[in-house]
Amino acid sequence: MSTRGVIYVHSSPSAVCPHVEWAISSVLDARVVLDWTAQEAAPGSARAEVSWAGPAGTAARVATALRAWGMVRFEVTEDPSPGTDGERFSHVPGLGLWHGRTSANGDIVLGEDQVRAALAGATTRESLTRRMDDLLGTRWDDALEEFRFAGEGVAPARLHQVG
């Protein structure tokens, strides 16, 4: 199955940018040269984004490759395809990697087992709220928001066919 998605590198130290390109290239099996711009939210770092098209599961492989660079903030999305949910992976230094399934409009979708486990493990309303926030990726969204905003108006590069 073929699908598409976007890789958002929200911030990378400038010295690590070539390694990020190499990691993405190794997964996509195509040479990737990103158009890096300064990331205003983190002086001394750069940001880039690229659209991709390829087989289902590509987002997970890209996220795994980029996670090796723990100081890089990134998100990788994969659109739903027949028989496969969409996905979003978010990485924030200090928080690690978060993964969620997404609907066609990009909302995070929780499975019934996830909700049941959160309910069963919560002893107070506050603990349930924390568990649900973690399932929804709230801490990752909060930590990335200023980096997303700092990249508004930048058109993503496009990779038309990979894999």
Side-chain angles (χ1 to χ4, degrees):
M1 281 297 159
S2 184
T3 188
R4 66 186 76 226
V6 181
I7 303 164
Y8 302 93
V9 180
H10 292 297
S11 73
S12 172
S14 297
V16 176
C17 292
H19 300 284
V20 168
E21 289 179 353
W22 174 85
I24 296 170
S25 295
S26 68
V27 171
L28 300 180
D29 199 26
R31 185 167 185 260
V32 174
V33 178
L34 300 176
D35 184 17
W36 295 97
T37 59
Q39 174 51 276
E40 296 174 19
S45 68
R47 68 168 319 284
E49 53 189 75
V50 63
S51 296
W52 59 269
T58 297
R61 292 191 304 278
V62 170
T64 299
L66 291 179
R67 184 175 63 175
W69 302 99
M71 72 291 293
V72 177
R73 287 174 182 85
F74 66 85
E75 290 180 278
V76 183
T77 66
E78 181 168 307
D79 292 345
S81 56
T84 305
D85 293 328
E87 297 183 286
R88 180 165 42 121
F89 296 84
S90 300
H91 182 269
V92 174
L95 291 178
L97 186 66
W98 173 86
H99 168 254
R101 294 180 310 152
T102 58
S103 65
N105 70 348
D107 286 346
I108 300 303
V109 177
L110 300 179
E112 64 183 82
D113 287 342
Q114 291 174 293
V115 174
R116 285 188 178 138
L119 290 169
T123 56
T124 65
R125 181 182 177 100
E126 291 76 25
S127 67
L128 178 59
T129 298
R130 276 193 307 276
R131 288 172 179 267
M132 295 303 289
D133 281 345
D134 281 348
L135 289 172
L136 295 170
T138 302
R139 289 185 296 151
W140 287 261
D141 280 340
D142 290 347
L144 290 172
E145 193 58 28
E146 75 175 298
F147 294 90
R148 293 173 182 147
F149 179 75
E152 284 185 1
V154 178
R158 302 202 188 289
L159 295 175
H160 295 289
Q161 185 63 40
V162 297

